[in-house]
Amino acid sequence: RALARTTPTSAMGCVTAKHMVLEKELEGLREIGGINAEALSQVGDLKTSHAEDVTKTQELNRQEIMELNERITQLVQVASEEHRKAQEAHSEDLRSLHERYTKEVRKLQEDEHNQMSKELMRNVEEVRKLQAEYRTSLRSLGLEMRMMSAAGSYCAPAMGMQKEEIQGGGCSAGMSSLPPKATGP
């Protein structure tokens, strides 16, 4: 009996020891499962917080992009406004230069016209003087020829005869019968 008693007891003790080991393993597995569940919960929380961080970062990036786009739009507007103002200033400069050039050209044309008018008047006056001198020379020559033909003789009149001498009779006595046109001015 002692054997039988020790055997079952030892068998029982073995069962109890195995049972305890199994219980310990089961408890360890439960702890691992709890830890694993806790780790999964922490991983889920980390994923959630990471997703929130990513969403916040994306939202911040969108806001920054919108701000940058707005700045770019403003810079483009400012640059185009400055370009437009520069073109307007350039156009105004060109217009004023053109007006000044036109005024100067008109003034030069008027000055040229005045100078040409004065020169024309001076030339007309010179032509009149030359025509008068030419007529006087022709009259004087015509008188000399008439005197020579009327007298029938050669009377050498002095080349420097004055108008009064010609009208007064000059060399021959037939001079007083000259027509008034021949002796007039």
Side-chain angles (χ1 to χ4, degrees):
R1 246 179 177 196
L3 272 178
R5 276 191 187 177
T6 52
T7 314
T9 322
S10 64
M12 283 296 256
C14 196
V15 170
T16 312
K18 278 187 180 182
H19 182 59
M20 286 182 65
V21 170
L22 284 174
E23 278 184 25
K24 282 186 180 183
E25 282 182 15
L26 190 58
E27 190 179 316
L29 285 174
R30 283 185 193 142
E31 282 181 22
I32 290 174
I35 291 173
N36 196 11
E38 191 177 312
L40 286 174
S41 172
Q42 286 178 356
V43 167
D45 290 344
L46 282 174
K47 282 183 179 180
T48 305
S49 94
H50 177 69
E52 289 174 359
D53 288 345
V54 167
T55 304
K56 285 179 185 178
T57 305
Q58 286 176 343
E59 185 60 33
L60 287 174
N61 286 344
R62 279 190 204 106
Q63 288 177 355
E64 287 180 10
I65 288 171
M66 288 174 59
E67 289 174 4
L68 288 173
N69 283 337
E70 189 175 316
R71 280 185 184 171
I72 289 170
T73 302
Q74 289 175 351
L75 288 174
V76 167
Q77 287 175 346
V78 167
S80 64
E81 184 67 24
E82 288 175 357
H83 181 69
R84 184 187 59 79
K85 286 180 181 179
Q87 282 185 335
E88 286 177 0
H90 181 69
S91 296
E92 182 63 27
D93 288 345
L94 284 176
R95 187 188 59 76
S96 66
L97 283 173
H98 185 264
E99 285 179 3
R100 191 173 78 216
Y101 172 76
T102 303
K103 285 178 184 177
E104 288 177 6
V105 166
R106 284 184 186 152
K107 184 180 180 214
L108 287 173
Q109 287 174 341
E110 288 174 5
D111 290 347
E112 181 72 18
H113 177 71
N114 290 338
Q115 286 178 350
M116 289 303 220
S117 294
K118 287 177 184 177
E119 191 172 332
L120 179 65
M121 293 305 292
R122 187 175 52 86
N123 288 341
V124 166
E125 190 61 36
E126 281 184 33
V127 167
R128 285 184 185 155
K129 286 179 184 177
L130 288 173
Q131 284 176 342
E133 186 179 313
Y134 180 71
R135 282 189 205 118
T136 306
S137 297
L138 284 178
R139 285 184 189 146
S140 155
L141 186 61
L143 283 177
E144 286 178 12
M145 294 299 280
R146 285 185 195 145
M147 286 191 305
M148 286 164 74
S149 64
S153 65
Y154 290 102
C155 174
M159 286 293 190
M161 285 175 91
Q162 297 296 331
K163 185 176 179 183
E164 295 83 27
E165 290 178 330
I166 293 173
Q167 287 176 349
C171 266
S172 67
M175 287 295 286
S176 58
S177 65
L178 288 177
K181 186 175 181 183
T183 59

